[in-house]
Amino acid sequence: GWSRSESVLAGCERRLRVCRMSNWTPFVFAVAAPLALLIDHFCGEPPPRWHPVIWMGRYLNRAAPHVLPAPPASPELRDLKAFSRGVLAWWLGVAIVLVVAVTLQWLIFKLPLVLAALLMGLALKPMLAWAMLRREVQAVEDALGESLEAGRQRLSWLVSRDTAQLS
């Protein structure tokens, strides 16, 4: 009757322990990190709609007009105001990412252990753009085979500084 069903249910519940931030946390991350690398290797980058780096770029593009809306009368004043607005925009972005990451992790750790490890791997994957970085570095090397100028041009896709003087 019911006592047997309740006993079976209790046994299943014990086996599918819900993974709370506890002694199982290292296991979840030990599984999640290699899983994220495997996903990266076999699947590459997620579509733009689901890519956090693209989300950050969109946020920065939306914040830019508010950081530098119009040139002021004095260049010294502009630099300080622009810097202050940039710092605030950066910290706002950090706060948003932190809230999303902590909330996502909190929700994931409420799930059964194995599912938590798998979902944490999926959540970590976009932060490990190893496959894309490897392709881009290879593209720079290939461009350098053509010419130094082609290599500099391709490298500018990866770095935010001027590559014209690099040798």
Side-chain angles (χ1 to χ4, degrees), residues 7-152:
S7 172
V8 169
L9 213 69
C12 288
E13 193 173 306
R14 278 193 301 275
R15 281 186 219 98
L16 289 175
R17 293 187 194 273
V18 172
C19 177
R20 308 244 186 250
M21 292 286 266
S22 66
N23 57 340
W24 289 108
T25 303
F27 168 79
V28 171
F29 285 110
V31 170
L35 178 62
L37 286 170
L38 283 171
I39 294 168
D40 184 60
H41 177 75
F42 289 108
C43 301
E45 296 305 306
R49 179 179 186 181
W50 300 107
H51 206 299
V53 174
I54 292 175
W55 299 342
M56 287 184 275
R58 288 180 183 154
Y59 164 75
L60 292 172
N61 283 337
R62 287 187 182 122
H66 304 288
V67 173
L68 296 170
S74 161
E76 296 82 23
L77 194 60
R78 182 197 71 204
D79 291 344
L80 183 57
K81 282 186 176 182
F83 178 77
S84 299
R85 286 191 297 258
V87 166
L88 288 173
W90 187 86
W91 276 109
L92 178 61
V94 167
I96 291 168
V97 169
L98 183 63
V99 167
V100 169
V102 167
T103 303
L104 183 61
Q105 183 172 317
W106 178 77
L107 291 170
I108 287 173
F109 275 95
K110 290 190 162 292
L111 298 171
L113 184 63
V114 173
L115 185 57
L118 294 174
L119 287 177
M120 190 61 75
L122 283 172
L124 285 174
K125 174 5 208 143
M127 305 327 258
L128 303 173
W130 178 246
M132 183 179 69
L133 181 60
R134 206 172 59 240
R135 280 193 310 273
E136 290 302 319
V137 168
Q138 184 62 51
V140 170
E141 187 174 333
D142 294 345
L144 281 170
E146 295 173 23
S147 72
L148 181 58
E149 184 54 41
R152 288 177 181 156

